[in-house]
DNA sequence: ATGCTGACTATGT
DNA sequence: TACATAGCCAGCA
């Protein structure tokens, strides 16, 4: 059975992660902040790690502040995460990093100063 | 209770 | 840009 933590911060973290749209990514710190857990980025990673295999939480959309997939203790999962993201259309550069400015999730779509990004 | 670890981040070098 | 440190906090031995 699930850990008793499901009623606490973990549940809030999961709720935030569920809001990340397909093809976008959010950072651990960003998720923490939106979940009302400022500066507790580590807990976000912890909460996701505790996630059951079958889950409706798109854990793969959470990456670190550098826009890279954080290396796991158990190798292989990081590669899976990247594969899942690429399948959603997320692009990685040669260094294995995502351009957060372009593909990072922007809750509430705040319009940035003025005009939309020019195309290509 | 204490100490270490971890899917992190901000800051200084 | 990359590496080292300090700060964070929950879980576990």
């Amino acid at each position: 059975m699930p850990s008793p933590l499901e009623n606490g911060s973990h549940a809030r973290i999961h709720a935030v992660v569920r809001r990340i749209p397909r093809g976008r990514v959010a950072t651990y710190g960003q998720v923490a902040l939106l979940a009302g857990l400022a500066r507790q980025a580590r807990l976000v990673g912890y909460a996701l790690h505790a996630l059951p295999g079958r889950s409706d939480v798109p854990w793969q959309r959470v990456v670190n502040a550098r826009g890279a997939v954080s290396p796991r203790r158990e190798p292989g999962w990081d590669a899976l995460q990247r594969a899942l993201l690429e399948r959603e259309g997320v692009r990685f550069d040669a260094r294995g990093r995502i351009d957060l400015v372009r593909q990072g999730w922007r809750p509430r779509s705040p319009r940035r100063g003025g005009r939309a990004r020019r195309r290509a």
Side-chain angles (χ1 to χ4, degrees), chain A residues 15-108:
Chain A
V16 172
V17 175
R18 267 190 275 259
R19 289 171 49 201
I20 306 173
R22 197 165 175 284
R24 295 267 169 170
V25 297
T27 65
Y28 293 97
Q30 185 180 9
V31 171
L33 198 63
L34 292 169
L37 302 166
R39 297 195 179 110
Q40 295 182 195
R42 296 187 94 145
L43 296 194
V44 173
Y46 218 67
L48 296 182
H49 181 247
L51 221 46
R54 305 234 185 198
S55 164
D56 54 330
V57 179
W59 56 271
Q60 73 274 24
R61 295 176 193 154
V62 184
V63 298
N64 63 34
R66 293 143 90 189
V69 167
S70 287
R72 300 295 192 290
R73 200 163 166 295
E74 309 224 352
W77 285 84
D78 43 4
L80 169 64
Q81 179 175 10
R82 176 167 175 165
L84 287 171
L85 287 176
E86 292 185 310
R87 199 166 168 185
E88 297 184 352
V90 175
R91 306 246 241 103
F92 288 77
D93 66 16
R95 291 210 212 77
R97 302 200 303 204
I98 300 167
D99 182 342
L100 293 178
V101 175
R102 271 187 52 165
Q103 304 183 79
W105 176 40
R106 308 201 168 190
R108 301 178 174 188

